[in-house]
Amino acid sequence: MKSAFLKWSLMASVVVVGASCNKEKDKESTTEKVPGFSLTSLDSTAKACDDFDSYVNGGWKKLNPIPGTESRWGAFGILDKENKEVRLKGIIKEITDQKDRKKGSEEQQIADYYQSFLDTTTVEKRGIEPLKPYLDKIEAVKSLKDLASVTGELQKVGVSTVVGFGVEGDLKNSKMNVLYEGQDGLSLGEKSYYERTDSSTVKVRTEFVKHVNNMFGFASFKDVNPGKTVLDFETKIAKLQLSNVELRDPVKTYNKTSFKDFKLLAPDFDLQEFADKQDIKTDTVIVQNIPYLKSVNALLKATPLETLKLYTRWQLLSNFAGYLPKSFDKEDFRFFSTVMRGTKQQRNRTDRAIRSTDGLLGMPLGKLFSKKYFPEDDKKKVSEMIENVRSVYGERIDKLTWMSDSTKARAHKKLKAFTYKIGYPDKWKDYSSIEIASDKLFENVIASSLFQHKESIKKIGKEVDKSEWLMTPQTVNAYYNPLNNEVVFPAGILQPPFYNRNADDAINYGGIIAVIGHEFTHGFDDQGSQFDEEGNLKNWWTASDRTNFDKLTKKYIDYFSGIEALPGFKINGALTIGENVADLGGLTLAYYALEKSLKGKPEPAPIDGFNWKQRFFLGWAQVWHMNTTNEALQNQIQTDPHAPAKDRINGPLPHLKEFQDAWSCGAGSKMVLPEASRVVIW
């Protein structure tokens, strides 16, 4: 079942890159301060006031070319690699070395799933035989109702079709869970891949056709030109769908209706049967896009049944490619990793086994990870940091000149209601019912998918469990959940360079405090600001204040839309506005939180020739340093609500007079904007 969850994270996805790990530092810490920033990262030939990213990270980029197994290489991925390939690997090894593991225990599940992924002999021997029950059901389809039945069953194990269900809190009644329906079914992820006519996007479509043809060939399917058939059908779907910018509108995409009326939106595609096969029982559903449902019903009715069956087989094959023999696995990597993102080589099977185990059994692994690698002292320290940011945010609200006192009062109310989670969950979900065997990789994946689906549909019509985590503790990321009005910081990100307990305050404030400020600001960005202190989609603004806010965000949208990240590919300012506002707010809050912490204290001495103000911005640039392939950058621009790393560093800085003062940037510098062009929101 697809997640319909409305949350905003620091990164859309964590990209794994290479790093080494000092295991002794995981076991013990020292009170001795460390530099926290390496001078080897600098490029002295660049000017801080013209291109801050090149100045701060130019040396690092030269020393850290993208490994063949990666499409991006940066701080997030380096830390993620440590967490997985060193820490989780060590945990898994300890478990697999155990002689006796109780059946149904987390240790048994982790060890046996890991082993099943490594058992390539069995995977090769079985071929596509595990798919046969599903393929037989697809082949037996004789009508659209049959198709609804089969695709509904396939949804339970994660296979996409043109529509999908998800269960989350009701945007207008955030305490209760409700069923959502949304558009789905595009293999390339976003409709622009089916519409753009530039050579690089056309190449992606050409390679996609080859990819589908190759996959069907490996499966010994006899269809003629299956790649063209799938592309043509998905192109028709894409034309009917909302863009990723339109999907950001929580009001436009909130269409609550009775299930009885919902079924009438697509009468030829039996939505009742589709839901029944997923064991869904509800009187209410929130529809993302009513015109899409009506149009996709007409499209399905007008499309030959054999085309729909071919498309369904493709979605099945693609979804499980990574668990099939090497020919499928390699071809899936070639297209989705090499063509789409520029990754040159696949990771070794052992590293992939760790990631796959983490993907299916992340919380059981997270329990062990947290116990071993997250000191309770850090939890207390991060709590203090969060309260520091909350205090400064309140002061910033009071100083706003564009907001009225009545709206400020509501903003304070929302800020006060913010809650937070740090490190790991207070309670852990029971996974013991998942049947895992050491020689049945495909069945293990199915069992996990069915478990997750069952857990999801059990929530429909029930009260939201606000203690639930939507990321595992080992994840190098953080998020804001508007429905809970909460910020969440997993243990995985609370490590250098984001949080370095032994570094000077300026580096940490530019790193983890800016991250905390980023997530806080999501509660007041263009989307988050539409939710009240209880997490409900409800206007709490005066009309004039909302107009003022919209003018500021529009100005910031236009600013980012003028940045060309690749030839012919400008940043989509409307898509990235939420993250861009959060970056600008996070930096601002962190800077003034640092300034406040220094009041009444002696001026910190410069370190390596940089004063505390400069080191704050070094800390910011350090956490976003990254090398990226052109293919991954193109994919990010078209699909990701986050701007490219270079522009997350440089983008907000010209709007901060604090940056100009810290680096003594003259009025003619490229990183300086005229006062009238600067955007100050929070």
Side-chain angles (χ1 to χ4, degrees):
M1 176 169 284
K2 305 291 182 181
S3 173
F5 202 80
L6 186 66
K7 75 175 187 295
W8 300 292
S9 62
L10 201 64
M11 290 278 283
S13 60
V14 176
V15 183
V16 182
V17 291
S20 61
C21 176
N22 186 332
K23 295 182 182 179
E24 294 305 312
K25 286 186 179 180
D26 290 328
K27 297 177 182 177
E28 57 184 83
S29 62
T30 173
T31 56
E32 181 184 352
K33 293 294 182 183
V34 298
F37 178 84
S38 173
L39 296 181
T40 60
S41 294
L42 296 169
D43 179 359
S44 59
T45 65
K47 295 181 179 179
C49 297
D50 285 342
D51 184 345
F52 196 61
D53 175 47
S54 293
Y55 172 72
V56 178
N57 298 321
W60 182 91
K61 290 182 181 182
K62 291 176 183 176
L63 294 170
N64 291 274
I66 305 170
T69 55
E70 315 302 332
S71 63
R72 294 189 285 180
W73 174 264
F76 280 84
I78 289 172
L79 182 51
D80 188 68
K81 184 177 178 71
E82 280 192 33
N83 284 347
K84 288 187 172 69
E85 294 186 13
V86 178
R87 294 170 179 148
L88 289 187
K89 184 177 183 179
I91 290 169
I92 291 172
K93 185 178 187 304
E94 288 177 11
I95 292 172
T96 54
D97 285 347
Q98 294 174 10
K99 298 293 184 182
D100 298 310
R101 294 184 293 271
K102 183 181 177 182
K103 183 172 176 57
S105 68
E106 292 171 349
E107 289 79 7
Q108 177 263 317
Q109 291 171 319
I110 290 167
D112 285 353
Y113 180 80
Y114 178 74
Q115 182 57 47
S116 73
F117 195 92
L118 291 176
D119 185 7
T120 54
T121 300
T122 299
V123 171
E124 292 294 327
K125 182 180 178 181
R126 298 183 74 187
I128 67 166
E129 174 266 330
L131 297 182
K132 192 173 185 306
Y134 296 110
L135 290 170
D136 288 345
K137 289 179 181 180
I138 296 170
E139 182 58 34
V141 166
K142 303 296 182 186
S143 66
L144 280 184
K145 182 172 182 176
D146 290 345
L147 184 71
S149 177
V150 171
T151 54
E153 187 173 349
L154 288 171
Q155 289 259 299
K156 292 174 69 172
V157 293
V159 180
S160 296
T161 188
V162 295
V163 294
F165 287 129
V167 181
E168 307 294 352
D170 188 332
L171 268 60
K172 293 189 177 181
N173 181 18
S174 62
K175 294 180 180 179
M176 299 300 295
N177 284 305
V178 69
L179 181 70
Y180 287 83
E181 178 278 334
Q183 63 188 36
D184 202 358
L186 299 183
S187 301
L188 302 181
E190 213 284 315
K191 65 182 297 178
S192 63
Y193 270 106
Y194 299 85
E195 297 174 339
R196 289 184 61 114
T197 58
D198 59 275
S199 59
S200 56
T201 306
V202 170
K203 179 184 176 183
V204 168
R205 291 198 293 268
T206 301
E207 290 295 330
F208 176 65
V209 170
K210 293 179 184 177
H211 171 57
V212 177
N213 290 343
N214 289 341
M215 294 287 276
F216 272 49
F218 296 145
S220 298
F221 296 160
K222 303 303 182 185
D223 308 87
V224 178
N225 297 325
K228 184 178 184 304
T229 301
V230 172
L231 179 63
D232 288 348
F233 181 64
E234 291 194 4
T235 300
K236 292 175 182 176
I237 300 172
K239 289 178 180 178
L240 305 176
Q241 294 193 351
L242 294 176
S243 69
N244 49 17
V245 173
E246 292 170 312
L247 290 173
R248 296 189 76 256
D249 187 338
V251 175
K252 184 176 183 177
T253 55
Y254 183 95
N255 302 285
K256 199 168 192 175
T257 184
S258 68
F259 200 88
K260 180 180 178 181
D261 290 339
F262 167 66
K263 292 186 296 182
L264 300 178
L265 297 174
D268 296 290
F269 182 72
D270 193 331
L271 289 168
Q272 182 67 64
E273 181 70 14
F274 185 67
D276 286 346
K277 282 298 180 179
Q278 297 180 63
D279 306 314
I280 291 171
K281 293 178 176 61
T282 182
D283 296 326
T284 305
V285 60
I286 297 173
V287 181
Q288 185 183 68
N289 181 4
I290 288 175
Y292 171 75
L293 259 185
K294 293 178 178 179
S295 298
V296 86
N297 178 77
L299 173 63
L300 293 173
K301 188 177 180 181
T303 302
L305 199 58
E306 289 306 312
T307 296
L308 299 177
K309 290 164 67 172
L310 185 153
Y311 169 73
T312 305
R313 278 187 285 129
W314 156 246
Q315 290 290 347
L316 174 69
L317 203 57
S318 183
N319 185 71
F320 291 110
Y323 310 105
L324 295 176
K326 189 174 182 179
S327 57
F328 296 93
D329 185 36
K330 281 185 64 178
E331 174 59 26
D332 183 72
F333 173 83
R334 183 196 71 82
F335 178 73
F336 285 107
S337 295
T338 303
V339 174
M340 293 284 284
R341 292 176 175 82
T343 311
K344 293 182 175 64
Q345 66 189 70
Q346 200 169 20
R347 298 185 187 98
N348 65 58
R349 191 76 182 183
T350 300
D351 290 344
R352 291 171 59 211
I354 295 167
R355 282 167 180 74
S356 189
T357 307
D358 183 51
L360 267 71
L361 298 167
M363 279 300 182
L365 275 172
K367 186 191 298 186
L368 300 171
F369 175 92
S370 303
K371 185 177 181 180
K372 191 167 186 178
Y373 294 113
F374 188 65
E376 282 299 312
D377 287 349
D378 284 358
K379 199 168 189 175
K380 181 181 177 182
K381 180 65 176 176
V382 175
S383 296
E384 293 171 358
M385 292 176 179
I386 290 172
E387 292 304 334
N388 191 10
V389 170
R390 193 199 305 261
S391 175
V392 171
Y393 212 147
E395 294 171 4
R396 296 290 300 176
I397 290 170
D398 288 336
K399 293 177 182 178
L400 294 176
T401 58
W402 56 267
M403 181 180 280
S404 68
D405 289 343
S406 61
T407 304
K408 284 181 181 180
R410 290 300 300 269
H412 275 292
K413 191 174 183 180
K414 179 169 185 177
L415 181 64
K416 185 178 180 180
F418 262 65
T419 59
Y420 50 84
K421 297 170 183 170
I422 301 168
Y424 52 87
D426 293 327
K427 62 179 183 180
W428 301 91
K429 187 178 291 187
D430 181 8
Y431 286 79
S432 61
S433 63
I434 305 176
E435 290 280 344
I436 301 291
S438 61
D439 60 346
K440 294 181 179 178
L441 174 60
F442 185 85
E443 286 81 357
N444 292 340
V445 175
I446 294 294
S448 177
S449 298
L450 290 174
F451 172 84
Q452 297 294 350
H453 175 82
K454 186 177 181 180
E455 288 291 297
S456 185
I457 63 168
K458 281 196 308 186
K459 297 177 183 177
I460 299 173
K462 304 288 179 57
E463 194 168 327
V464 171
D465 179 3
K466 294 199 172 186
S467 69
E468 186 173 13
W469 278 58
L470 304 174
M471 283 181 179
T472 62
Q474 59 271 30
T475 301
V476 184
N477 213 332
Y479 67 88
Y480 170 71
N481 175 350
L483 303 182
N484 287 3
N485 195 25
E486 67 176 358
V487 287
V488 182
F489 303 97
I493 199 172
L494 299 175
Q495 303 172 59
F498 301 94
Y499 169 57
N500 186 337
R501 68 179 64 89
N502 300 317
D504 62 295
D505 284 347
I507 290 295
N508 276 324
Y509 273 77
I512 193 61
I513 299 293
V515 168
I516 292 171
H518 172 104
E519 299 305 337
F520 261 75
T521 305
H522 270 313
F524 300 93
D525 68 16
D526 68 307
Q527 287 180 305
S529 62
Q530 298 182 63
F531 293 81
D532 67 11
E533 67 277 2
E534 294 182 354
N536 292 316
L537 185 59
K538 184 178 180 181
N539 182 37
W540 49 271
W541 298 66
T542 66
S544 59
D545 288 340
R546 174 56 72 176
T547 297
N548 291 338
F549 179 79
D550 290 345
K551 285 180 180 177
L552 290 169
T553 55
K554 177 62 167 61
K555 190 174 180 180
Y556 213 40
I557 287 172
D558 292 342
Y559 167 76
F560 269 92
S561 294
I563 299 173
E564 189 174 56
L566 276 174
F569 286 86
K570 288 187 176 182
I571 293 174
N572 188 336
L575 175 62
T576 58
I577 183 59
E579 299 298 333
N580 294 336
V581 168
D583 282 345
L584 181 62
L587 264 171
T588 303
L589 292 171
Y591 182 88
Y592 284 102
L594 175 58
E595 186 180 71
K596 184 178 182 179
S597 74
L598 295 174
K599 283 185 178 179
K601 299 177 183 178
E603 178 95 0
I607 299 175
D608 293 329
F610 296 107
N611 63 41
W612 66 267
K613 295 180 180 180
Q614 293 170 328
R615 288 183 63 75
F616 169 82
F617 290 106
L618 292 179
W620 168 254
Q622 177 175 238
V623 300
W624 292 110
H625 61 206
M626 189 175 291
N627 282 318
T628 310
T629 65
N630 285 343
E631 293 88 347
L633 190 55
Q634 177 186 335
N635 181 265
Q636 181 176 3
I637 293 165
Q638 291 182 246
T639 65
D640 198 331
H642 303 79
K646 179 182 182 69
D647 303 297
R648 295 189 75 169
I649 295 170
N650 286 353
L653 299 183
H655 297 271
L656 297 173
K657 193 172 185 303
E658 298 80 3
F659 172 80
Q660 182 179 349
D661 293 343
W663 294 92
S664 301
C665 299
S669 302
K670 294 179 182 178
M671 296 290 296
V672 174
L673 286 171
E675 190 69 32
S677 298
R678 286 180 175 149
V679 175
V680 179
I681 300 177
W682 293 104

